[in-house]
Amino acid sequence: MSRRQVLVYRQLPPDQLARIQQEHDVVIANPRVAGQKDAFLKALPTAEGMIGSSYPIDEEVLTLAPRLEVISSISVGLDQFSPDALHRRGITLCHTPGVLTETVADLLFAMVLATSRRVAELDRYVREGQWNRSVGEDLYGWDVHGKTMGILGYGRIGQALAHRAALGFNMPVLYHTRTPVPSGLPEGRAQPVTLREVLMQSDFIVLVLPLTEQTRGLIGPQEFALMKPGAILINGARGPIVQEAALLQALEHGQLRAAGLDVFDIEPLPVDSLLRTHPKVLALPHVGSATHETRRAMCEMATTNLLLALQGKQPLAAYSPAPAR
Ligand SMILES: NC(=O)C1=CN([C@@H]2O[C@H](COP(=O)(O)OP(=O)(O)OC[C@H]3O[C@@H](n4cnc5c(N)ncnc54)[C@H](O)[C@@H]3O)[C@@H](O)[C@H]2O)C=CC1
Ligand SMILES: O=C(O)C(=O)CO
């Protein structure tokens, strides 16, 4: 097996990097790190494999990389690529589904609890020295157990979240998804419904579906207007699925009680974003899968994907386009 040229465009654990270096010649250049963009651009013309995450691999990058055969993404989401365009060019696109499912579901549920029980807000209250009396109604939160959980996108993570909600917190679950699937829960604990029904009947609406042409801007003024007054929105999917201006309006007008956001239109969130300082927003820096165990498992899986694909073997998980209808 001949050695190939691999461009590593995000930091990998040393042992995973060593696995790649054993078989291939490696250039390490993260275009997001100051001073490394030139090295990244310079490595593209000879790159045959690439491994990294989140940096958009667009037409401009692809045009500079005519020898590219494999991209291994350290993520499950593939919205930073044009998967069909890569497929047409014969480039194998691999990703890391499954290994992060439970970890992301944990964080989504943490956001449900934190927004409803006002965890971050009350922490600020104590730190700022405001706790000088027993708390009054103005600082009360709202119960989570027994409330209705609405899930948009009932794939791996959506189903793991539904388990936590239905079986751990006795919450009726409503879900809406593109491809109908059974709930995987005991009879009567979760119902597949329309998007409109999820919006109208849920106390929590959690987004965990991919960013695609169909889902971009999916939650806008009309969708917020359908929500129960006092609903809580959790976006653990991708920022552009929610129209941020409409979200701010819904928070201002009291339509939404709170929003828990792990993802934003622009990441990192610009310092002047109104979402950064809004008192009803719990803002996290895109950390759904960011635990030591899971980020390591993702890097291992992505490395294996890259090595298998460069050997001409079937990777553990590769994107394949939906069959034409
Ligand atoms: N915040 C974070 O750190 C993370 C975010 N994610 C996001 O979560 C997404 C889901 O991940 P998985 O559950 O592993 O994927 P999955 O492919 O198992 O599930 C996605 C679900 O969304 C549904 N869906 C797709 N288009 C839809 C539409 N137009 N309307 C309704 N439902 C639609 C699919 O039918 C499927 O049920 C990823 O694509 C990614 O964007 C994933 C991991 C971490
Ligand atoms: O895997 C993904 O899609 C993420 O957003 C980060 O884990």
Side-chain angles (χ1 to χ4, degrees):
M1 187 68 63
S2 64
R3 292 179 74 81
R4 317 292 292 280
Q5 295 293 321
V6 171
L7 171 55
V8 176
Y9 65 100
R10 202 204 85 165
Q11 198 175 13
L12 279 177
D15 60 336
Q16 299 309 305
L17 186 59
R19 284 176 68 201
I20 305 174
Q21 285 168 328
Q22 219 167 15
E23 292 185 31
H24 304 292
D25 296 330
V26 171
V27 172
I28 303 169
N30 182 343
R32 286 230 164 91
V33 172
Q36 294 189 22
K37 180 89 185 256
D38 283 353
F40 172 81
L41 293 174
K42 212 170 138 211
L44 288 173
T46 50
E48 295 166 286
M50 287 175 71
I51 180 167
S53 71
S54 81
Y55 189 78
I57 305 296
D58 53 18
E59 271 306 308
E60 198 185 328
V61 172
L62 291 177
T63 306
L64 292 170
R67 298 176 59 188
L68 196 58
E69 291 170 31
V70 181
I71 304 178
S72 182
S73 183
I74 312 168
S75 69
V76 65
L78 292 174
D79 47 281
Q80 66 277 38
F81 307 100
S82 301
D84 291 328
L86 292 180
H87 187 77
R88 280 195 299 277
R89 286 175 185 252
I91 297 171
T92 303
L93 176 60
C94 313
H95 65 149
T96 63
V99 290
L100 44 58
T101 297
E102 299 295 332
T103 298
V104 180
D106 284 348
L107 188 85
L108 295 178
F109 212 87
M111 287 199 282
V112 166
L113 290 168
T115 46
S116 210
R117 297 302 305 271
R118 303 171 67 179
V119 171
E121 207 180 326
L122 293 171
D123 175 77
R124 286 194 293 271
Y125 174 82
V126 175
R127 278 168 201 275
E128 287 164 7
Q130 296 185 57
W131 188 23
N132 47 24
R133 59 175 175 93
S134 46
V135 298
E137 273 188 40
D138 57 324
L139 293 176
Y140 292 176
W142 293 268
D143 280 339
V144 173
H145 62 272
K147 297 282 174 63
T148 300
M149 166 72 85
I151 302 177
L152 296 182
Y154 203 67
R156 289 169 291 255
I157 302 170
Q159 292 174 41
L161 176 68
H163 269 80
R164 285 157 177 71
L167 306 181
F169 285 74
N170 200 25
M171 300 169 82
V173 173
L174 301 175
Y175 64 94
H176 171 72
T177 200
R178 185 192 46 188
T179 321
V181 282
S183 78
L185 285 166
E187 182 76 24
R189 303 303 291 269
Q191 309 299 327
V193 296
T194 61
L195 170 63
R196 192 181 167 87
E197 285 171 299
V198 170
L199 298 173
M200 289 179 71
Q201 294 174 29
S202 304
D203 297 299
F204 298 93
I205 297 161
V206 182
L207 308 182
V208 64
L209 67 184
L211 174 62
T212 63
E213 275 170 31
Q214 291 73 41
T215 63
R216 186 177 291 278
L218 182 72
I219 306 297
Q222 288 169 5
E223 289 69 29
F224 283 114
L226 287 174
M227 292 179 193
K228 271 188 181 179
I232 291 181
L233 179 80
I234 306 293
N235 189 359
R238 288 293 185 264
I241 297 175
V242 176
Q243 297 177 29
E244 283 188 357
L247 168 62
L248 279 162
Q249 289 255 316
L251 287 164
E252 284 305 309
H253 297 161
Q255 180 73 23
L256 275 189
R257 177 163 290 154
L261 308 173
D262 186 39
V263 288
F264 298 88
D265 263 357
I266 302 173
E267 297 179 7
L269 188 60
V271 279
D272 61 353
S273 167
L274 297 176
L275 292 171
R276 195 175 65 84
T277 47
H278 200 290
K280 293 182 183 173
V281 171
L282 172 76
L284 299 181
H286 197 149
V287 286
S289 65
T291 64
H292 291 286
E293 299 91 333
T294 291
R295 281 288 165 87
R296 176 164 184 87
M298 291 165 71
C299 287
E300 277 177 20
M301 182 169 178
T303 302
T304 302
N305 279 336
L306 175 82
L307 296 177
L308 286 171
L310 284 175
Q311 288 162 9
K313 296 183 184 153
Q314 186 64 34
L316 303 174
Y319 168 82
S320 55
R325 293 182 197 196

